[in-house]
Amino acid sequence: MTGTAAVDEVLAEVTAELAALENPRIREVNERHGDDHGVNLTQLRALAKRLKTQQELARGLWETGDTAARLLALLVCRPKSFTRDELDTMLREARAPKVHDWLVNYVVKKSAHAEELRGAWLADPDPVVASAGWALTTERVAKRPEGLDLDALLDTVEAEMKDAPERLQWAMNHCLAQIGIEHPAHRARALAIGERLGVLKDYPTSPGCTSPYAPAWITEMVRRREA
């Protein structure tokens, strides 16, 4: 059996296994958040653990276009094996929020192309693509802020976050909070911007969870660090 035939055989087996894991109730809950799949993520991760890293299988799973298959692909792929253009194409194809989130966090952040893509995506006119640029920027704000213009980022948040589409707004808000948490010199301005814009101020938050409202988020995380 050729290598391609072997991969195709495994792909068929794994696709069938994913179909067997489909749960209508889980799908109903996920679809409320824009994720069109019905597979329990704990079971999905267990399947990925059993399969281990298989880059060609990951490519095949991604190409199916199925959301559960793409999530599995992101767990069994080799992040550093993708080219810059492949990652860019994958992001533009990844319309389901969970696929988008996992692609950025589990794959792009581990890639040598992350910084180049961060700059390109940040300036992209597609708000979903731009949200990935903001997510990568938030990572740098927390871990590698050298070279970032934090004042310019705050300027953009102040001017654009209030009216941004939901997923872009969430990503910008996360960056705003991270600047306030990690950088004391910019904390007062971050708090003031959050208070003035009021984004996510009334977002329902479960007991014991931190509100995504930036001033509350910043204040709570700083309190914990100083406790």
Side-chain angles (χ1 to χ4, degrees), residues 10-60:
V10 174
L11 177 60
E13 292 171 357
V14 172
T15 301
E17 190 163 352
L18 284 173
L21 292 174
E22 175 77 17
N23 183 318
R25 276 188 253 181
I26 292 176
R27 176 176 285 273
E28 183 181 349
V29 171
N30 286 335
E31 284 183 341
R32 292 180 205 150
H33 306 287
D35 289 309
D36 55 343
H37 77 90
V39 177
N40 178 286
L41 294 182
T42 300
Q43 293 177 313
L44 191 77
R45 291 182 186 278
L47 176 56
K49 187 175 181 180
R50 195 177 82 231
L51 291 169
K52 299 185 172 62
T53 301
Q54 297 191 49
Q55 180 67 7
E56 292 312 308
L57 173 62
R59 291 182 189 277

Side-chain angles (χ1 to χ4, degrees), residues 131-188:
S131 72
W134 280 94
L136 294 173
T137 300
T138 300
E139 172 94 346
R140 276 205 55 190
V141 165
K143 297 182 178 179
R144 294 181 296 106
E146 300 79 13
L148 286 180
D149 188 337
L150 298 181
D151 281 315
L153 288 173
L154 290 173
D155 288 344
T156 302
V157 169
E158 189 168 25
E160 300 176 13
M161 183 173 75
K162 180 77 171 179
D163 298 316
E166 183 180 8
R167 281 162 72 179
L168 178 55
Q169 185 182 73
W170 271 90
M172 294 175 83
N173 182 72
H174 190 181
C175 190
L176 172 65
Q178 205 69 54
I179 291 172
I181 293 164
E182 302 289 346
H183 301 279
H186 297 273
R187 186 170 296 151

Side-chain angles (χ1 to χ4, degrees), residues 42-110:
T42 300
Q43 293 177 313
L44 191 77
R45 291 182 186 278
L47 176 56
K49 187 175 181 180
R50 195 177 82 231
L51 291 169
K52 299 185 172 62
T53 301
Q54 297 191 49
Q55 180 67 7
E56 292 312 308
L57 173 62
R59 291 182 189 277
L61 287 165
W62 184 270
E63 288 170 5
T64 67
D66 177 75
T67 294
R70 285 184 163 181
L71 290 172
L72 182 60
L74 298 172
L75 295 176
V76 302
C77 74
R78 189 174 291 107
K80 294 180 180 179
S81 294
F82 292 110
T83 67
R84 179 222 182 271
D85 289 345
E86 282 179 317
L87 292 173
D88 184 69
T89 298
M90 290 168 73
L91 185 84
R92 293 173 193 281
E93 294 174 345
R95 307 316 287 184
K98 184 67 72 176
V99 175
H100 180 277
D101 181 56
W102 283 19
L103 175 62
V104 172
N105 286 291
Y106 297 169
V107 180
V108 179
K109 286 182 180 179
K110 298 176 182 178

